[in-house]
Amino acid sequence: MTPTLVPHHPARDWAEIQERMLVPLYEAVYDRLGVGAGSRVLGLGCGSGLALLMAAARGARVAGADRDHARVELARERLPEGVAVTEAPPEAGPYDVITAFHATDALLPELVALTRTAQRGAAVVLAGWGPPERCATEPVLRVAARLADRRPAAGTDLDGLVAAAGLRPTGSGRVACPFGYASEGSAVRGLLSTGAFDQAVRATDLSQVAKEVEEALAPHVRADGTVWMPNVFRYVVARVP
C-alpha cells in the first residue's frame, strides 16, 4: 500500500485536524465544573488553544502553557489579545480551574509546582485514554510502540498522578470522543500530530511510520473513504487541599 501522506506539519495538523476530536471532553469538564463568567482557567499542555478558546467563549479568564513552541504560537494567533500562552507554566494564581487534558507522568513536576502555590480548593482536572477495549484507536497506537521497539504504553495512571501531586480526588467521568476523518491521509496526519509516534519516527522514518499507521487504520475506513474510530476518554477531578 502506498501511503497517502501529505507534507507533515505536526503543530498545524494538530490544530486543523486532531484537536477538535476532544471537544466533547472539554465540554463535559467545563459543564461539570460550571466554567463561565468569573472562572479563571489555566490549561497545562494547552496545545494550539482550542480548549482555552472554548472556556473564554463561556466568559472565563484563561491562560495556557505548552512545551511545544509551534503550538504555543498557533494558540497565540487564535486566542483573544491579552491571553497569556507560554512554554513554561506561569505561577498558579489566582486560578480556580487547572486542566491537563493530555495528562502524562511527565507532567508531575509541573503539577507539584503549581499546586504548591495554587489557592486552596482550586479544581485540577487530569484526562487521558479510557479503557483500551473501548478505544478503537488503541491498536493503531500499538504501531508506535512496535516501531520504537518498546512495550505498549499502558496509559497514564490518572489516580496515581493525582496522589503523587498531593491532590484530593473528588470525582471522575468518562466521555465518548470518536475520531472522525475525511480520508485516510487526514487520519494519518492527525494521528502523527499527537506526538504518540514521535519516538517511532526517530527510530525508523516518517514514511515507514505513515505506511504502517495507514495499514492499521484499514478496519476503520468506511465505504465513502472516511475514517471513524469510537473512543472513550476518562477524566479525574481533584482539589488543591
Side-chain angles (χ1 to χ4, degrees), residues 28-119:
V29 168
Y30 292 158
D31 285 346
R32 180 161 181 166
L33 296 180
V35 170
S39 300
R40 296 157 298 184
V41 179
L42 171 64
L44 291 179
C46 67
S48 48
L50 179 57
L52 293 179
L53 188 63
M54 291 169 60
R58 289 168 167 251
R61 295 171 58 187
V62 303
D66 197 285
R67 296 173 181 173
D68 188 309
H69 175 75
R71 293 189 186 189
V72 167
E73 290 299 311
L74 289 172
R76 288 171 176 167
E77 289 177 12
R78 79 194 320 183
L79 286 162
E81 187 176 354
V83 173
V85 182
T86 56
E87 292 177 45
E91 293 183 2
Y95 306 107
D96 46 37
V97 176
I98 299 173
T99 63
F101 287 119
H102 314 283
T104 66
D105 294 337
L107 192 67
L108 181 59
E110 295 173 4
L111 274 178
V112 170
L114 284 170
T115 54
R116 281 177 178 168
T117 57
Q119 63 184 26

Side-chain angles (χ1 to χ4, degrees), residues 130-237:
E133 64 274 12
R134 297 192 61 188
C135 295
T137 308
E138 195 270 340
V140 182
L141 297 175
R142 287 204 298 264
V143 171
R146 177 170 53 79
L147 292 178
D149 194 25
R150 58 178 171 79
R151 298 176 64 180
T156 301
D157 177 4
L158 299 177
D159 301 291
L161 192 54
V162 164
L167 299 167
R168 175 171 54 87
T170 60
S172 64
R174 292 182 179 181
V175 183
C177 293
F179 287 5
Y181 305 93
S183 66
E184 290 176 84
S186 177
V188 171
R189 289 172 57 198
L191 290 168
L192 291 182
S193 77
T194 64
F197 297 87
D198 289 356
Q199 189 174 342
V201 170
R202 290 191 293 270
T204 55
D205 63 73
L206 178 60
S207 61
Q208 178 65 23
V209 174
K211 175 179 180 293
E212 299 213 22
V213 168
E214 187 166 332
E215 290 173 351
L217 288 170
H220 309 290
V221 180
R222 301 191 289 192
D224 62 358
T226 60
V227 178
W228 185 256
M229 293 185 289
N231 298 296
V232 169
F233 278 70
R234 179 174 182 259
Y235 67 88
V236 173
V237 181

